[in-house]
Amino acid sequence: MYRKILKIITVLFMALVIIVPVTVKKLPAMNEKYAMAEELENNVLQNYVRASALAKEKKNPDDILKSTDNQDGDLKIELPASVGKSKQDISVETDYLTQTVYVKLKTEEENYFTNYSITGNSDYIDSMQYYKNDGAGVIAITTDKLYEIKYLLKNGSLYIKFVDLHDIYDKVVVIDAGHGSRMSGAVRNGVYEKDINLDIVLALKNLLDDYSGDKKIGVFYTRTTDVNPTLQQRAALANKADADLFISVHCNSYETGNFTAIHGTQVLYSQSDDRKLGSKRLAQICMDNVTKETGSSAFGLLEADNIYIIRTSNAPVALVEAGYMTNREELDNLTNPDYQKKMAQGIYNAIMQAFDEGY
Ligand SMILES: [Zn+2]
């Protein structure tokens, strides 16, 4: 593997608030094909990380870094003596949404990059920064794609391996619950679309977490709480994960916002995706399975390259408009947990059918 001196970009005086989305259970347990040692661990994942960043000083990377042969991992991070001995002193977390790996050390170094070396393969890395946060030192590594991280603590250094998702999973799926936080989406009778979308996605997550079929499926969610990733972040997650499927969940609303008789499930797709197993076929599979499970009527498929996440997705993408919030009966259904579970089951079945068809 090609090795070169790692280039480092430090970001000065940058205050940063980072929200880390919940991650997914691995389905099922991954092969330990990269078993580097018994200390090898999967990354620790948290729902939220709040980090304020304050990087202190910039140095010429050539002064800081040494090129060494690194046989143990893709990246070797030299650790301060006070934290290099126990893995209790270190955590490694990945923010999937921003493809950033946070190495947290229970020590505050004034300037980490000046005093310690990072060597190895920089091909995976877009940028790095170091900052102090609440008694801890944080090395933030933003990668060029989404990887699963494996790491090893050995001889006072942390070895990090960036593992391609498709080396771990047979299939990679990205699920998006539309809107979130202050962006409520459609609102009707005090019901926010963002909450229905999330309820359906969380019900879907339960099903995917329990998947016990013969495929290893990695599922990544743009959100599992009431937060609002940007459209760019949502699409980037699918693209940087090299997703096999990208499914977004929304609810419809008649344009006047008034209650009407119009109801049914609509699925949006990319008309510029002319692959046989592309967006349109995926949309049809979603429509078939959702209407079958829920009994909702098929309102039809809709060309939707005008929608950012559809237009920019490399993966086959379908945006499921579960139903109309401006239809009284359908609004009752959409807020009913049993109906939401059926909706989730329909999308789940669609995912499975898509895989059966070769997606
Ligand atoms: Zn929406």
Side-chain angles (χ1 to χ4, degrees):
M1 191 174 293
Y2 177 61
R3 308 280 174 187
K4 64 184 180 189
I5 295 172
L6 183 67
K7 296 190 183 77
I8 287 183
I9 298 165
T10 55
V11 177
L12 294 179
F13 304 109
M14 180 176 155
L16 181 69
V17 176
I18 296 143
I19 295 174
V20 176
V22 179
T23 63
V24 235
K25 197 168 89 176
K26 290 163 193 71
L27 302 173
M30 64 174 72
N31 262 336
E32 290 298 334
K33 69 183 277 194
Y34 290 93
M36 296 195 291
E38 61 183 22
E39 279 187 78
L40 192 66
E41 292 180 341
N42 294 327
N43 48 333
V44 177
L45 304 162
Q46 295 182 347
N47 290 6
Y48 289 95
V49 174
R50 284 183 166 275
S52 36
L54 192 62
K56 273 271 182 188
E57 193 180 327
K58 193 163 143 181
K59 286 275 275 183
N60 183 338
D62 291 335
D63 295 341
I64 305 166
L65 299 171
K66 300 163 199 128
S67 175
T68 63
D69 275 334
N70 175 6
Q71 301 298 324
D72 292 301
D74 291 307
L75 208 60
K76 179 184 177 185
I77 299 176
E78 188 188 351
L79 298 171
S82 60
V83 299
K85 303 209 167 48
S86 162
K87 49 189 175 180
Q88 312 304 117
D89 296 332
I90 297 166
S91 73
V92 181
E93 300 160 2
T94 302
D95 177 357
Y96 291 123
L97 192 65
T98 58
Q99 300 85 48
T100 303
V101 178
Y102 295 94
V103 177
K104 298 190 175 182
L105 312 173
K106 280 192 180 166
T107 179
E108 277 190 346
E109 298 292 319
E110 262 316 302
N111 191 329
Y112 176 84
F113 290 138
T114 307
N115 299 319
Y116 302 95
S117 68
I118 298 181
T119 54
N121 189 336
S122 65
D123 291 350
Y124 304 88
I125 297 167
D126 276 354
S127 67
M128 295 181 77
Q129 60 172 302
Y130 174 82
Y131 54 88
K132 296 189 287 182
N133 178 44
D134 205 15
V138 181
I139 302 165
I141 305 166
T142 301
T143 51
D144 62 336
K145 290 199 325 181
L146 179 58
Y147 300 99
E148 292 282 13
I149 300 305
K150 300 209 163 197
Y151 66 90
L152 166 69
L153 190 60
K154 195 171 82 178
N155 298 334
S157 289
L158 180 70
Y159 295 82
I160 293 184
K161 194 168 212 19
F162 301 97
V163 186
D164 191 285
L165 297 185
H166 289 275
D167 287 343
I168 298 174
Y169 305 112
D170 297 318
K171 298 292 173 187
V172 174
V173 182
V174 170
I175 307 288
D176 174 49
H179 314 287
S181 188
R182 281 172 293 184
M183 301 301 280
S184 53
V187 183
R188 190 67 222 179
N189 279 16
V191 178
Y192 294 150
E193 183 200 337
K194 64 171 186 172
D195 295 329
I196 300 174
N197 300 341
L198 183 58
D199 287 344
I200 294 169
V201 163
L202 292 178
L204 175 59
K205 183 175 184 299
N206 281 337
L207 296 170
L208 288 164
D209 286 350
D210 288 342
Y211 171 80
S212 59
D214 56 359
K215 289 185 179 62
K216 289 176 193 154
I217 305 175
V219 192
F220 299 87
Y221 299 85
T222 58
R223 68 184 186 100
T224 56
T225 58
D226 186 22
V227 294
N228 182 37
T230 65
L231 295 177
Q232 287 77 7
Q233 287 175 320
R234 294 172 199 251
L237 177 58
N239 290 340
K240 299 218 169 190
D242 288 332
D244 296 291
L245 299 174
F246 181 24
I247 294 177
S248 182
V249 177
H250 284 252
C251 293
N252 238 329
S253 181
Y254 188 64
E255 52 194 68
T256 64
N258 296 327
F259 280 119
T260 74
I262 292 170
H263 66 282
T265 299
Q266 193 173 41
V267 186
L268 282 53
Y269 67 96
S270 168
Q271 67 266 33
S272 59
D273 180 0
D274 57 6
R275 291 172 287 191
K276 191 159 174 273
L277 294 178
S279 180
K280 186 169 190 179
R281 177 62 196 153
L282 179 63
Q284 186 64 54
I285 294 170
C286 288
M287 177 65 89
D288 294 346
N289 284 279
V290 164
T291 52
K292 185 176 172 202
E293 282 298 320
T294 64
S296 68
S297 59
F299 197 75
L301 307 187
L302 185 67
E303 296 182 349
D305 273 348
N306 56 324
I307 307 261
Y308 179 86
I309 64 165
I310 291 180
R311 182 173 67 245
T312 57
S313 173
N314 299 332
V317 57
L319 189 154
V320 178
E321 298 274 13
Y324 271 85
M325 292 175 64
T326 45
N327 178 275
R328 285 181 200 279
E329 195 185 334
E330 205 148 65
L331 182 59
D332 281 349
N333 283 339
L334 290 168
T335 53
N336 180 326
D338 290 334
Y339 189 87
Q340 292 169 348
K341 278 184 196 149
K342 289 178 186 169
M343 185 61 63
Q345 186 70 53
I347 298 170
Y348 176 90
N349 293 351
I351 292 168
M352 297 306 146
Q353 184 183 334
F355 290 153
D356 287 345
E357 291 193 9
Y359 278 87

